[in-house]
Amino acid sequence: MTTARTEVYGVIGWPVGHSLSPQMHTAALRALGRDAVYVAFGVRPPHLASAIGGLGALGVRGVNITLPHKERVMQLVDALDDSALSVGAVNTLYRDGERWVGSNTDAAGLARSVREAGVAIEGSRVWVVGAGGAARAAVVGLAQAGASSVVVSARRSEQSTGLAQSLAGGLRGTALEATGFSEPELARAAERTDLMVQATSATLHDHALAEAFAAALPLASLPVHAVVMDLVYTPLETTVLRRARRQGLRTLDGLGMLIGQAALSLERWTGQEAPLAAMREALASGETSGDR
Ligand code: NDP
């Protein structure tokens, strides 16, 4: 592998123009005093294999992987670490000598952001709403961080059941349960929750459907000490967070996970502690209107 003098990092996705990762990582690399750039690589799906194959020759130090490549890239790397295997998706590639290793920082990044907000995960009862990729990372991250139970609710109950079944063997110490979206199922889950994680895309953008989705969730059944997190960060205060806040519940927005996963990628690439304040500031000064 060749090594360029200026370190090159980036994010590979398609489309990738709205990614927030360049502004966040550029600010972080600057704060760390590194001679480095972080760029967005728009790579169409048919070109993914050749893009990954060329990273080493170009001397690239590390990349993030975003939609739609997070699963397909698993077949294109030299090795997968435990985090990638447990989540079943890769969002970070790092070099180990001549090899490219696929890793996943979404799950641990989410848990780190919850802990940094002062919310205890160990022994807590978690309720995850949604059963797509972000929900899966939430279940793995919070279970591995010591949640005592995780209930996953999806409007298609086969999706939540499938998620729970695929993880059942690997998450020892955490009771996993899958439910559908019927009123009694949701109310029962809410009553037993310390931390609720909204992980569907239903709250993306503030519109009538997002309001109807939030109104249908039995937030009133949550205990008064419950914390409500929404992984969506566009808008920062989603319809679910707005309702939870009005009810007097503590809320956490989706920027925490975004920063948490980026911090872990950066630490893996550089061996330096991520400058969280600089990363947060970079997001606050830009528009949080895109994907990562
Ligand atoms: P997926 O498409 O993989 O999953 C979306 C999930 O939302 C599915 O379970 C889907 O169900 C469900 N859903 C969508 N609309 C509704 C609705 N109206 N009612 C009930 N369920 C609904 O997306 P991801 O899991 O990758 O991402 C989900 C959201 O999380 C994204 O919008 C993204 O903004 C956010 N995210 C945030 C991150 C962060 O760093 N903060 C990281 C990754 C994602 P169905 O299959 O039935 O449609």
Side-chain angles (χ1 to χ4, degrees):
M1 277 185 203
T2 55
T3 309
R5 197 177 143 274
T6 298
E7 298 170 2
V8 179
Y9 302 91
V11 54
I12 293 180
W14 184 263
V16 78
H18 296 298
S19 173
L20 298 173
S21 293
Q23 72 195 57
M24 194 170 31
H25 280 285
T26 297
L29 290 162
R30 193 177 302 138
L32 292 177
R34 299 183 80 92
D35 176 10
V37 293
Y38 184 105
V39 289
F41 295 114
V43 176
R44 292 174 192 271
H47 299 150
L48 183 63
S50 48
I52 300 297
L55 291 175
L58 291 169
V60 173
R61 295 289 187 102
V63 286
N64 287 124
I65 304 291
T66 189
L67 299 176
H69 305 312
K70 290 173 115 177
E71 288 167 16
R72 175 128 181 272
V73 77
M74 296 179 81
Q75 293 142 28
L76 302 172
V77 292
D78 302 306
L80 295 167
D81 71 12
D82 286 348
S83 65
L85 291 170
S86 53
V87 181
V90 158
N91 77 328
T92 304
L93 301 191
Y94 65 89
R95 279 166 53 163
D96 176 21
E98 294 294 307
R99 301 186 319 154
W100 281 102
V101 182
S103 182
N104 188 300
T105 64
D106 283 330
L110 180 148
R112 171 177 170 157
S113 77
V114 169
R115 255 191 253 105
E116 265 160 13
V119 176
I121 302 172
E122 188 113 339
S124 66
R125 300 163 303 166
V126 172
W127 177 29
V128 175
V129 179
R136 192 177 170 92
V139 173
V140 171
L142 295 167
Q144 288 180 342
S148 63
S149 62
V150 179
V151 177
V152 187
S153 302
R155 63 177 167 186
R156 291 182 294 117
S157 54
E158 69 273 17
Q159 197 187 31
S160 50
T161 307
L163 192 157
Q165 278 172 351
S166 69
L167 293 176
L171 301 175
R172 277 186 290 277
T174 304
L176 268 185
E177 186 186 328
T179 81
F181 251 39
S182 72
E183 260 179 57
E185 281 175 308
L186 294 181
R188 186 159 174 276
E191 281 162 15
R192 300 175 292 152
T193 292
D194 302 310
L195 170 64
M196 171 186 162
V197 181
Q198 194 304 108
T200 75
S201 47
T203 60
L204 202 53
H205 310 304
D206 209 335
H207 48 61
L209 284 177
E211 195 53 60
F213 171 81
L217 291 176
L219 300 181
S221 298
L222 289 166
V224 289
H225 70 268
V227 175
V228 178
M229 180 179 204
D230 199 324
L231 301 189
V232 169
Y233 50 81
T234 318
L236 269 187
E237 185 173 75
T238 65
T239 51
V240 168
L241 294 189
R242 188 158 63 228
R243 280 177 176 265
R245 182 177 52 79
R246 284 192 190 141
Q247 204 180 299
L249 298 173
R250 170 138 191 235
T251 59
L252 300 176
D253 66 43
L255 287 188
M257 177 181 181
L258 183 72
I259 295 170
Q261 59 80 28
L264 290 173
S265 299
L266 190 73
E267 289 171 358
R268 162 64 73 180
W269 297 327
T270 66
Q272 287 179 280
E273 197 178 323
L276 298 179
M279 294 164 84
R280 222 171 266 127
E281 202 177 304
L283 290 178
S285 61
E287 275 187 34
T288 49
S289 60
D291 306 320
R292 63 179 140 117

